[in-house]
Structure formats: structure tokens, C-alpha cells
Amino acid sequence: TAFVALQDVSHDMGPTCFLLGTHSELVHNRFEKAPADIVKQAKTASALLSAGDAVVYDSRILHAGGANRSDRTRALLYVTFRDPTSDPAALGIDQHSIRAELAGKFCLRSFQST
């Protein structure tokens, strides 16, 4: 998964916070049982970004956007890549698509110039 900041993202805009090292099934199972413990124990990193900066991450890492306490909208270009033969529903993956009719319709090569 990747996102690109379309404007500067400052602390007051509630940048995405990543809980480092939480991309494993073991940690996810522990998180389901005691989320507060995982949040307290994990090292974190916040995506404080300048316009045009990109973050590329394993989408299994526990992450969340913070509360936007500014008067600006936090705008990001958000892209997720996956094996086209995998079934996201069977894996329990929510597509996160704003427009459900577009989910699964395109792949990266759809946007390559000819």
C-alpha cells in the first residue's frame, strides 16, 4: 500500500500513525484480545509529510489516521496493490474503496501508457 501527500501533513492534521512491527498474524491475534496492550507496547511512527512525499507500507501493519484538529482537509492519494488472483473477501480484507463499483476493476498495468 502507498499514499502520497497532496499537501503538507502536519501534526495538527492527524497524520497516519503506524505501530511498528505489527504486521504479523501473531500480533493481530494478540491485538484482537487486548488492543490496549499492543498500542501501549508498540513503537510508533507518524507520517508527517511534505506535499509529494510518499509512504509505502505493508497494509497488514496496524495503522490509523489521527484526529484532524486543523481547519484543513487531509488529502492523500491512496493506492493498494495485491496479487490479482487473491480473494480479498476470503482473506478478510476490506477494499477501502470510496466507490465500490471500482473495487477490483483496475490493476497497475491499466495505467501504463502504450
Side-chain angles (χ1 to χ4, degrees):
T1 299
F3 56 75
V4 179
L6 301 179
Q7 86 290 347
D8 293 348
V9 179
S10 58
H11 195 332
D12 64 330
M13 293 177 79
T16 301
C17 177
F18 297 95
L19 301 179
L20 306 179
T22 62
H23 58 284
S24 71
E25 185 176 357
L26 175 67
V27 175
H28 283 224
N29 290 337
R30 288 178 49 216
F31 181 78
E32 287 179 16
K33 294 175 185 167
D37 290 347
I38 298 298
V39 171
K40 286 179 198 173
Q41 295 169 6
K43 292 182 181 179
T44 62
S46 292
L48 298 170
L49 306 169
S50 296
D53 285 352
V55 175
V56 179
Y57 62 97
D58 184 326
S59 58
R60 296 172 298 173
I61 193 168
L62 297 176
H63 62 284
N68 187 345
R69 295 185 183 356
S70 76
D71 59 356
R72 300 173 310 251
T73 298
R74 183 179 60 225
L76 302 168
L77 171 65
Y78 179 86
V79 183
T80 298
F81 301 92
R82 66 171 171 81
D83 180 340
T85 63
S86 67
D87 179 3
L91 297 171
I93 299 171
D94 182 0
Q95 287 295 302
H96 304 294
S97 180
I98 293 172
R99 297 177 59 189
E101 71 273 11
L102 296 179
K105 185 173 180 178
F106 299 103
C107 61
L108 189 56
R109 71 176 154 259
S110 303
F111 301 99
Q112 292 176 331
S113 60
T114 56

